[in-house]
Amino acid sequence: MSSITYLEAIREAQYEALRDNPEVFLYGQDIGTFGGAFKATKNLGREFPGRVFDAPISEDAMIGMAVGAAVEGARPIVEMQFADFSSVGFNQIVNQAATLYWRTNTPCPVTIRLPSGGTAGSGPFHSQSMESIYAHYPGLVILTPATVEDAYWMLLDSVKLDDPVIYCEHKFLYYHLKADGFGQRMPIGKARIARPGRDATIVTYSAMLHESLRAAEELRLDGYEVEVVDLRSVKPMDTDTILASVARTGRLLVVGESFPWGGATAEVIARVSSEAFHLLDAPPLRLNSKDTPIPYHPNLWKAHRPTTASISAELRKLLRY
Amino acid sequence: MTLSDKIVTSMPSQGFEDLRHDFLKALRCMILSRTLEDKLGSLYRAGGRIVGGVYLGRGQEAFSAAAGIHLRWGRDIYGPLIRDQAGRIAFGEPVLDAMRTYLGVSTGPMRGRDGNIHRGRPQVGYMAMISHLGSLLAVVGGALFARRLRGTLGDSVGATSIGDGGTSTGAFHEGLNFAAVEKLPLVVSVANNQFAYSTPTHRQYACEDLVDRARGYGVGGHQVDGTDLLACVQVFRTAFQRARAGEGPQMVVGRLLRLGGHGEHDDASYVPDLQKHSHEGRDCLVVAQGQAVDLGWATPQELRQWEKEARKEVDQALAQVSKEPVPDPYRESWQALSTTALMEGQER
Ligand SMILES: Cc1ncc(C[n+]2csc(CCOP(=O)(O)OP(=O)(O)O)c2C)c(N)n1
């Protein structure tokens, strides 16, 4: 198979979901003829007439309608134009979709695609990472694919799941990240050792996986072997794989792109600290973006989010302890 | 009566002398706006200088400026949106604010923290839009509400804008309903440019015309041909008069066409040629210049002169801003609270 991008993987998974199950339909702004703001649904409207719909700019109604459709047995995939705009549909996500099964024993197979994360020049309202916000609510599955393979398999799995899925696809990876094929399917809920090591563990997910892998490579030049764990899904979180890695290395750095207060990175630290305090040779560290909205100017943006350089600096701190 | 009969379209043969001043003021803002936006578009295409998107108001200048000229900087409240460069200029925003925000320099009102159209100076009643459509309406309403509460409302008025797509948001409905309940002196411009990004209006709303909604909210409704500056000036004058006179919110729906992409990254190939050549696809600037000459309000020489002055102003702004400092992450305060004492250590 020729080289395929992360974005193409997302498109391909939607193609196959539509092809394989007549209950699947797509709903989102500009996703029909136009193929979506990022072209994640390019040509799908033509290939599946009557199953790809342009939505009005009404995120609340878009999510609400998907929940209603799911009750009737449909398996909608809803595209938010940017993750940031899902805040407008927040009520329907956390109160309607997330509680439906628990309250009424009715499954809610809705997939909500969130084009997430920062890119240079996108500013405070087109850059957000919302996995931690949604992970806080019971009743939602939060996926954060970092590879082309995961982008593909996890989206296919989302559609098959009988629970609402927040599928966080990172815009920074759309065009640059490529693979030769879709590889092996790994089940949702399992973390992956993206790079083995023995001196320290980085736990991360989504675009930060790639910054972390580069940082680990930098540290190799100093003679350190850093293990990198890709969470793949923020919720459920694979605590066993994390603990096994920390047992090997004794040192932990957790990296995430979202805001620093609480969230996925804090959750990892909390679990490791309470369940495996005795395994740690150094206080666990975490690195997130800064505690301000996401800045527009690239100079500020690069300093706001974790980068290879800032991750390397944290790693050195961790290894010196 | 067909839809087009209801829309106010001016006929230059009638006497419009009392509109002359407003018209010419709006026209000069339109010229400056177009000149500035042409420059921003070419900077974007040249690459390197502007990071992120460029969103232009080409084709909407008449509708936007005709609202903006009724607003007084420092006294009224304005919450412009994505295609309101002309209205911003008419309100009194210096060209430098736009240039500095697009180039992200630290001297601008947004200091590189936010960019492009997401700019304003709220402390002088000039709201800085967030991207989430519809959400500014209630904010402008809230500012008016507070002024009335404090007894400082006087004759001040608020204005904000939305596109056909933005009218589908819950925030727009809630905001307009609230403003109507409170009978606020607010003018809401609805620029129906036929597309929301790529989505045509028939996938956006099912009423015959967006102005039909005004009645449902209990607000004044006005329709205008958004390509016709003279008509826009006339209609907005009425709308602002009514809002200031205590008649509650006024909704002005302009029919026009976005003469370009959603942003400069978008070739808008989804806009059918037929629509581009329709009445609403006319270039409002060309129409307005023709009206000015026909009415004897400006000579072609004067128009060229105004264009020249606009180019000079824009070139000077660019030259100046190019020398200004870009943000330095090491000097940035990284502080999102005004209460410094409550800021936590920020590294992690
Ligand atoms: C709540 C929300 N959802 C989605 C978007 C993404 N978006 C930005 S502009 C736009 C189209 C806006 O169309 P319209 O309101 O008609 O204004 P126009 O661009 O035509 O001037 C969309 C969908 C947004 N800004 N806010």
Side-chain angles (χ1 to χ4, degrees), chain A residues 1-6 148-149 177-183:
Chain A
M1 187 187 268
S2 62
S3 140
I4 187 159
T5 65
Y6 182 92
V148 173
E149 294 84 341
L177 196 64
K178 291 186 181 141
D180 288 334
F182 296 128

Side-chain angles (χ1 to χ4, degrees), chain A residues 12-26:
Chain A
E12 178 64 22
Q14 292 182 101
Y15 172 85
E16 291 177 23
L18 284 161
R19 183 195 62 196
D20 296 345
N21 188 343
E23 292 292 358
V24 174
F25 70 87
L26 311 189

Side-chain angles (χ1 to χ4, degrees), chain B residues 8 18-19 22 66-67 69-70 157 186-187 220-224 230-252:
Chain B
V8 175
D18 64 322
L19 297 176
D22 284 1
I69 55 166
H70 293 285
V157 72
L186 176 68
V187 175
H222 311 257
Q223 275 171 301
V224 68
L230 200 57
C232 289
V233 165
Q234 206 174 12
V235 168
F236 274 108
R237 177 182 285 191
T238 308
F240 275 92
Q241 274 166 353
R242 291 197 185 152
R244 285 192 210 272
E247 292 181 35
Q250 306 292 314
M251 178 166 144
V252 182

Side-chain angles (χ1 to χ4, degrees), chain A residues 29 57 59 81 85, chain B residues 83 131 133 163-166 193 195-196 262:
Chain A
Q29 291 151 17
I57 307 178
E59 285 78 6
Q81 201 155 77
F85 300 126
Chain B
R83 312 210 187 269
S131 301
L133 293 166
D164 40 280
N193 64 11
F195 289 88
H262 169 62

Side-chain angles (χ1 to χ4, degrees), chain A residues 131-137 139-144 154 161 166 186-192 201-206 229-244 246 252-258 262-275 286 288:
Chain A
E131 64 281 354
S132 295
I133 287 287
Y134 291 116
H136 187 69
Y137 279 85
L140 299 171
V141 173
I142 319 296
L143 306 182
T144 48
M154 288 166 97
L161 264 186
I166 307 294
M186 259 188 91
I188 286 176
K190 280 295 290 173
R192 181 177 67 97
T201 296
I202 298 180
V203 173
T204 186
Y205 56 95
S206 193
V229 176
D230 174 8
L231 281 179
R232 302 178 64 245
S233 65
V234 156
K235 191 178 190 176
M237 186 179 274
D238 180 2
T239 314
D240 290 347
T241 298
I242 299 170
L243 292 178
V246 173
L252 174 65
L253 168 65
V254 192
V255 182
E257 187 177 326
S258 57
T265 55
E267 183 65 26
V268 173
I269 302 264
R271 291 183 189 199
V272 171
S273 303
S274 66
E275 290 176 41
R286 53 193 282 261
N288 280 90

Side-chain angles (χ1 to χ4, degrees), chain A residues 101-123:
Chain A
Y101 170 71
W102 182 81
R103 291 190 305 124
T104 69
N105 206 29
T106 311
C108 187
V110 170
T111 299
I112 303 168
R113 288 182 37 237
L114 303 189
S116 304
T119 47
S122 296

